[in-house]
Amino acid sequence: MDRILKVFFITLLLTVCNGSFMQAVSSGSGTNPLTRPVSDKPSPQMPTFTFVYDNNPYREGLETAWGFSCIVKGTDKTVLFDTGGDGKVLLANMEKLGIAPREIDAVVISHIHGDHAGGLNSLLRENRRIVTFLPGSFPDSFRGDVEKQGAKAVSVHGPVKICDDVYSTGKLGTKPREQSLVIRTAKGLIIVTGCAHPGIVGVVRMVRERFGGEVLLVLGGLHLTGSGKGEIEAVITALKKLEVRHVAPCHCTGDTARMLFKQAFREGFIDSGVGTVIDTESLR
Ligand SMILES: [Zn+2]
Ligand SMILES: [Zn+2]
């Protein structure tokens, strides 16, 4: 009888959770809740990433400014990761790239720094239906500003499912706490970082342990501006050891690190700046 009741409640729970856009995932002990059984494969469609805001130039006609923002398409929901520092630049670049604010379902803000969170309010003014995922460490006033616009703010603590195959790592590190985006694909995991303040090697290690599988691509700011050659090379060695296949470092990675990554990853290096589009279908 107990067993029948258990099965009943598990079935009920699965029915309630199924299809929910924002499903918090327990981070308790025991079986890794984010590692799916082998039979439950990720969607075969591969996502594309468009860098809508970056301080590195890439495509002519777009404005460069200090900060980072990148849009993920081809997943269950269209997700904007970070919003750059200036809403005007963000919206102007999006328009030039043919991306309308109404296309965006969710925004994930990596951390509190203005060069990542600064464009959010301008974007929400254009589309208040966007669900905003903020690290739980954000002040109430920040969340209040989002809600004042009529948008929904979700506080992220542990790892959270944003939509099918798209997750937040949960807030990592300290001062500032930062979340990264994880996308599970048929070719491996993709990790998007804002500034990687908690340290990119630690983030990749955590994602591998927690989500399982190989890492197809790491993209975003790697926070190595001002780091010495030895420190950068140690990061490269560690990422190679973690079997990261492709890297698209931008924003706060710094020119020296970008050059060293290019030399080390060769065809696995993707030159990135504002306007770069990565179609992961072409990655091996
Ligand atoms: Zn930054
Ligand atoms: Zn930062």
Side-chain angles (χ1 to χ4, degrees), residues 241-264:
K241 220 172 159 189
L242 287 163
E243 297 173 300
V244 173
R245 301 211 291 277
H246 298 269
V247 285
C250 57
H251 180 40
C252 55
T253 305
D255 290 340
T256 307
R258 274 155 59 93
M259 187 194 72
L260 293 170
F261 268 86
K262 189 174 184 170
Q263 285 169 3

Side-chain angles (χ1 to χ4, degrees), residues 111 113 115-116 176 178 195 197 223 251:
H111 65 297
H113 290 162
D115 55 329
H116 298 259
E178 182 169 338
C195 267
H197 287 294
H223 202 56
H251 180 40

